[in-house]
Amino acid sequence: MNITVLVLFGSFALLMVLGIPIAFAIGVSATLTFLLFMSVDQSLSIVAQQIASGLDSFTLIAIPFFILAGNIMNRGGIALRLIDLAQVLAGRLPGSLAHVNIISNMLFGALSGSAVASAAAVGGVMAPIQKREGYDPAFSTAVNVTSCPTGLLIPPSTTLIVYSLITGGTSIAALFLAGYLPGIIMGLSLMVMAGIISKRKGYPVAEKPSLAEVKSAVRRAILPLGLIVVVIGGIISGVFTATEASAIAVAYSLFLSLCWYREIGVTDLPKIFIDSVVTTSIVLFLIGCSIAMSRAMAFGDIPLTISSFMIGISDNPIIILLCITVVLLVIGTFMDMTPALLIFTPILMPVMQDIGIDPVHFGIIMTINLCVGICTPPVGSALFVGCSISGVSIGQVMKPILPFYLVLIAIVLLVTFVPQISLFLPQLILGY
């Protein structure tokens, strides 16, 4: 067993250090692990079969559709309408533009399901406005980077769809509902920190919006927000599945952007489709290779071994959850969210089952921990996108982002150790 763990994770770490793309590193390390038990032909065959069979899932069709819907919304003027609504909601709070950034990320991230898309769309609009109003660009970038992952918790979320697939069918409706309160609490907590810092630094407060401006902002945002009602309401009520909801999201966003707002034209669609296909190909190939790695781990009894090891450390669920939280936070700093979810969910799930953690709660624990990782160097995708949008270096943003990191870690611990935050809505609405 020791040699199995060494070959799987040792080869994976070596390939990552050598700069091999993560999907190929995962596939090669899985193949090398199978070579310990079977011939070259058999190893290559089983890896190919696992990649193909792993992607043969109706649920996975939701991922390309949600990616396409996010790209359409990103270019269709929907972000601007949500920012207008956020300006009304922020009112006269200290550092109102920072609050506008956070609320906009919560709204747009929930619609697009992508932290990176949210950081780019909202940050691209807010960064020049905040700079013009006298905000420190590094502070504005820190706010944008740490608030964009809220959309990975507030549904619809492709991350939670992937988790459902990995765990063998954990209710997507329950996972979606479970993400609402943690996502909202995360956003509100970041607003509190942004308000404290803004008041101390004397950042300007926006003028009180007129009644006409409030009505206009709400009216402009009603249709985009209607997507959440249609998609989530349809899934929870059982009218359609998450996969069918993703197709409806594409049709809805296409209608708004192309026909209603006319922010994009027919000539823009090929570029949007191609970008979506490229992103989808990367994500699905990564999922396929990760499923092959999961099979290799199961073949070598690695999850059971790790589970036994962690239970052997302590039988106290609090200690085990603390250990897993630290592990996930560290993993998130070196690995992007999707591969981390695909690789470590099968490893940690037996541990969670042994200590009685609900699968829906564990899905939120995994997601919120890895959300912190995409905001941190060296691999944080949201951090790199946010900095590139604002033109601020990572070194410049590290000091102002530290208080927001503390907030995120506090929320991680709160959600981890208070399961009702995640389970309240699924129990209330679905009787979960």
Side-chain angles (χ1 to χ4, degrees):
M1 176 52 63
N2 290 334
I3 189 65
T4 306
V5 174
L6 180 63
V7 169
L8 182 66
F9 292 110
S11 60
F12 175 70
L14 177 61
L15 292 168
M16 290 292 292
V17 170
L18 293 175
I20 304 299
I22 188 166
F24 292 102
I26 291 171
V28 171
S29 60
T31 304
L32 292 175
T33 304
F34 281 120
L35 285 173
L36 296 174
F37 306 98
M38 57 190 71
S39 67
V40 174
D41 290 345
Q42 290 175 318
S43 298
L44 293 175
S45 176
I46 196 170
V47 168
Q49 288 173 1
Q50 288 300 311
I51 292 174
S53 62
L55 296 179
D56 185 16
S57 168
F58 180 72
T59 303
L60 278 181
I61 300 175
I63 293 178
F65 277 127
F66 276 127
I67 289 173
L68 177 57
N71 282 339
I72 293 171
M73 288 185 286
N74 195 16
R75 303 183 193 185
I78 291 176
L80 292 173
R81 287 163 174 80
L82 295 177
I83 288 172
D84 288 342
L85 176 63
Q87 287 178 318
V88 171
L89 295 176
R92 293 179 55 78
L93 296 172
S96 52
L97 289 181
H99 299 297
V100 170
N101 197 325
I102 295 170
I103 295 172
S104 299
N105 271 329
M106 293 171 69
L107 295 173
F108 187 76
L111 289 174
S112 67
S114 169
V116 172
S118 184
V122 176
V125 175
M126 293 302 302
I129 298 175
Q130 288 173 301
K131 186 175 182 180
R132 187 169 62 247
E133 293 293 326
Y135 287 74
D136 179 7
F139 167 76
S140 301
T141 303
V143 170
N144 187 42
V145 168
T146 52
S147 61
C148 69
T150 53
L152 298 176
L153 288 164
I154 302 174
S157 169
T158 55
T159 301
L160 295 177
I161 293 172
V162 172
Y163 172 83
S164 173
L165 176 72
I166 300 168
T167 55
T170 302
S171 170
I172 293 177
L175 286 168
F176 277 5
L177 285 173
Y180 270 113
L181 288 181
I184 292 171
I185 291 172
M186 179 189 290
L188 293 177
S189 301
L190 291 171
M191 288 177 67
V192 170
M193 179 57 70
I196 293 171
I197 296 173
S198 297
K199 191 167 185 178
R200 191 173 69 242
K201 291 183 175 290
Y203 289 139
V205 177
E207 296 180 2
K208 184 178 180 180
S210 66
L211 182 60
E213 289 173 331
V214 172
K215 289 181 178 179
S216 175
V218 172
R219 186 172 60 252
R220 283 162 52 86
I222 281 178
L223 287 178
L225 293 177
L227 176 61
I228 297 178
V229 177
V230 171
V231 170
I232 305 304
I235 294 173
I236 293 171
S237 63
V239 174
F240 40 73
T241 65
T243 303
E244 293 163 343
S246 66
I248 291 171
V250 171
Y252 193 103
S253 57
L254 195 60
F255 168 75
L256 287 184
S257 301
L258 184 64
C259 304
W260 191 264
Y261 298 137
R262 298 183 180 179
E263 296 283 348
I264 60 175
V266 175
T267 55
D268 298 313
L269 294 181
K271 179 70 164 60
I272 294 174
F273 290 153
I274 290 171
D275 288 347
S276 300
V277 167
V278 170
T279 304
T280 298
S281 301
I282 294 170
V283 172
L284 292 184
F285 181 61
L286 186 57
I287 290 173
C289 291
S290 298
I291 289 172
M293 177 183 264
S294 297
R295 175 62 176 167
M297 288 190 292
F299 203 81
D301 288 333
I302 292 175
L304 181 61
T305 300
I306 294 177
S307 174
S308 301
F309 173 75
M310 295 197 72
I311 296 296
I313 294 175
S314 173
D315 57 0
N316 188 330
I318 294 177
I319 300 298
I320 294 174
L321 281 173
L322 276 175
C323 292
I324 288 176
T325 297
V326 172
V327 168
L328 290 173
L329 288 173
V330 172
I331 289 168
T333 63
F334 292 97
M335 189 179 293
D336 207 6
M337 175 170 277
T338 300
L341 196 71
L342 289 159
I343 293 170
F344 290 96
T345 298
I347 294 176
L348 298 176
M349 180 58 81
V351 182
M352 295 294 97
Q353 291 173 335
D354 286 342
I355 62 175
I357 300 298
D358 186 272
V360 170
H361 181 212
F362 180 52
I364 303 303
I365 291 174
M366 288 284 293
T367 303
I368 199 168
N369 272 280
L370 296 175
C371 276
V372 179
I374 67 173
C375 305
T376 56
V379 184
S381 54
L383 178 63
F384 286 106
V385 169
C387 289
S388 65
I389 290 295
S390 64
V392 176
S393 70
I394 292 177
Q396 290 174 308
V397 83
M398 289 315 298
K399 184 176 179 180
I401 208 173
L402 286 177
F404 295 100
Y405 282 158
L406 295 177
V407 170
L408 291 179
I409 292 172
I411 299 304
V412 165
L413 294 174
L414 180 66
V415 170
T416 299
F417 292 105
V418 185
Q420 279 305 112
I421 294 175
S422 302
L423 299 178
F424 174 72
L425 288 179
Q427 290 172 348
L428 178 67
I429 297 174
L430 298 178
Y432 177 78

